mmCIF file of all heavy atoms in Angstrom:
data_model
loop_
_atom_site.group_PDB
_atom_site.id
_atom_site.type_symbol
_atom_site.label_atom_id
_atom_site.label_comp_id
_atom_site.label_asym_id
_atom_site.label_seq_id
_atom_site.Cartn_x
_atom_site.Cartn_y
_atom_site.Cartn_z
ATOM 1 N N HIS A 1663 -97.726 -45.010 8.377
ATOM 2 C CA HIS A 1663 -97.188 -43.908 7.585
ATOM 3 C C HIS A 1663 -97.575 -44.077 6.116
ATOM 4 O O HIS A 1663 -96.993 -44.903 5.389
ATOM 5 C CB HIS A 1663 -95.661 -43.806 7.739
ATOM 6 C CG HIS A 1663 -95.254 -43.373 9.109
ATOM 7 N ND1 HIS A 1663 -95.246 -44.234 10.198
ATOM 8 C CD2 HIS A 1663 -94.860 -42.152 9.589
ATOM 9 C CE1 HIS A 1663 -94.854 -43.564 11.277
ATOM 10 N NE2 HIS A 1663 -94.609 -42.302 10.930
ATOM 11 N N ALA A 1664 -98.540 -43.286 5.686
ATOM 12 C CA ALA A 1664 -99.099 -43.413 4.346
ATOM 13 C C ALA A 1664 -98.078 -43.148 3.250
ATOM 14 O O ALA A 1664 -98.263 -43.591 2.111
ATOM 15 C CB ALA A 1664 -100.300 -42.469 4.191
ATOM 16 N N ASP A 1665 -97.019 -42.424 3.553
ATOM 17 C CA ASP A 1665 -96.011 -42.112 2.539
ATOM 18 C C ASP A 1665 -95.282 -43.352 2.023
ATOM 19 O O ASP A 1665 -94.538 -43.265 1.036
ATOM 20 C CB ASP A 1665 -94.964 -41.140 3.111
ATOM 21 C CG ASP A 1665 -95.490 -39.727 3.258
ATOM 22 O OD1 ASP A 1665 -96.564 -39.468 2.681
ATOM 23 O OD2 ASP A 1665 -94.860 -38.905 3.953
ATOM 24 N N TYR A 1666 -95.462 -44.481 2.682
ATOM 25 C CA TYR A 1666 -94.780 -45.714 2.285
ATOM 26 C C TYR A 1666 -95.789 -46.778 1.808
ATOM 27 O O TYR A 1666 -95.456 -47.965 1.771
ATOM 28 C CB TYR A 1666 -93.937 -46.245 3.451
ATOM 29 C CG TYR A 1666 -92.924 -45.246 3.935
ATOM 30 C CD1 TYR A 1666 -93.251 -44.359 4.963
ATOM 31 C CD2 TYR A 1666 -91.683 -45.121 3.329
ATOM 32 C CE1 TYR A 1666 -92.342 -43.394 5.391
ATOM 33 C CE2 TYR A 1666 -90.774 -44.157 3.746
ATOM 34 C CZ TYR A 1666 -91.100 -43.309 4.776
ATOM 35 O OH TYR A 1666 -90.210 -42.360 5.190
ATOM 36 N N SER A 1667 -96.971 -46.363 1.413
ATOM 37 C CA SER A 1667 -98.038 -47.325 1.078
ATOM 38 C C SER A 1667 -97.706 -48.182 -0.139
ATOM 39 O O SER A 1667 -98.074 -49.363 -0.189
ATOM 40 C CB SER A 1667 -99.354 -46.563 0.849
ATOM 41 O OG SER A 1667 -99.228 -45.641 -0.215
ATOM 42 N N ILE A 1668 -97.003 -47.642 -1.133
ATOM 43 C CA ILE A 1668 -96.660 -48.445 -2.323
ATOM 44 C C ILE A 1668 -95.650 -49.520 -1.940
ATOM 45 O O ILE A 1668 -95.777 -50.692 -2.350
ATOM 46 C CB ILE A 1668 -96.105 -47.546 -3.437
ATOM 47 C CG1 ILE A 1668 -97.156 -46.511 -3.873
ATOM 48 C CG2 ILE A 1668 -95.647 -48.375 -4.624
ATOM 49 C CD1 ILE A 1668 -96.667 -45.547 -4.943
ATOM 50 N N PHE A 1669 -94.660 -49.162 -1.131
ATOM 51 C CA PHE A 1669 -93.673 -50.128 -0.642
ATOM 52 C C PHE A 1669 -94.380 -51.242 0.141
ATOM 53 O O PHE A 1669 -94.095 -52.430 -0.055
ATOM 54 C CB PHE A 1669 -92.644 -49.412 0.222
ATOM 55 C CG PHE A 1669 -91.584 -50.313 0.790
ATOM 56 C CD1 PHE A 1669 -90.811 -51.132 -0.015
ATOM 57 C CD2 PHE A 1669 -91.323 -50.306 2.163
ATOM 58 C CE1 PHE A 1669 -89.801 -51.944 0.519
ATOM 59 C CE2 PHE A 1669 -90.347 -51.104 2.713
ATOM 60 C CZ PHE A 1669 -89.576 -51.940 1.903
ATOM 61 N N VAL A 1670 -95.297 -50.851 1.000
ATOM 62 C CA VAL A 1670 -96.043 -51.841 1.798
ATOM 63 C C VAL A 1670 -96.809 -52.799 0.898
ATOM 64 O O VAL A 1670 -96.822 -54.025 1.122
ATOM 65 C CB VAL A 1670 -96.988 -51.135 2.800
ATOM 66 C CG1 VAL A 1670 -97.957 -52.132 3.435
ATOM 67 C CG2 VAL A 1670 -96.159 -50.442 3.896
ATOM 68 N N SER A 1671 -97.455 -52.284 -0.119
ATOM 69 C CA SER A 1671 -98.236 -53.147 -1.011
ATOM 70 C C SER A 1671 -97.341 -54.139 -1.725
ATOM 71 O O SER A 1671 -97.737 -55.297 -1.967
ATOM 72 C CB SER A 1671 -99.008 -52.287 -2.037
ATOM 73 O OG SER A 1671 -98.132 -51.654 -2.949
ATOM 74 N N GLY A 1672 -96.128 -53.730 -2.087
ATOM 75 C CA GLY A 1672 -95.185 -54.632 -2.731
ATOM 76 C C GLY A 1672 -94.713 -55.730 -1.774
ATOM 77 O O GLY A 1672 -94.573 -56.901 -2.180
ATOM 78 N N LEU A 1673 -94.442 -55.340 -0.530
ATOM 79 C CA LEU A 1673 -94.036 -56.332 0.452
ATOM 80 C C LEU A 1673 -95.127 -57.388 0.667
ATOM 81 O O LEU A 1673 -94.842 -58.588 0.776
ATOM 82 C CB LEU A 1673 -93.736 -55.646 1.800
ATOM 83 C CG LEU A 1673 -92.531 -54.706 1.832
ATOM 84 C CD1 LEU A 1673 -92.468 -53.971 3.170
ATOM 85 C CD2 LEU A 1673 -91.213 -55.470 1.611
ATOM 86 N N LYS A 1674 -96.364 -56.945 0.675
ATOM 87 C CA LYS A 1674 -97.481 -57.867 0.843
ATOM 88 C C LYS A 1674 -97.647 -58.770 -0.385
ATOM 89 O O LYS A 1674 -97.854 -59.998 -0.239
ATOM 90 C CB LYS A 1674 -98.771 -57.090 1.104
ATOM 91 C CG LYS A 1674 -98.805 -56.392 2.452
ATOM 92 C CD LYS A 1674 -100.100 -55.594 2.629
ATOM 93 C CE LYS A 1674 -100.143 -54.947 4.019
ATOM 94 N NZ LYS A 1674 -101.394 -54.127 4.210
#
Side-chain angles (χ1 to χ4, degrees):
H1663 291 78
D1665 286 346
Y1666 303 92
S1667 60
I1668 299 178
F1669 179 55
V1670 168
S1671 69
L1673 294 173
K1674 291 178 178 179

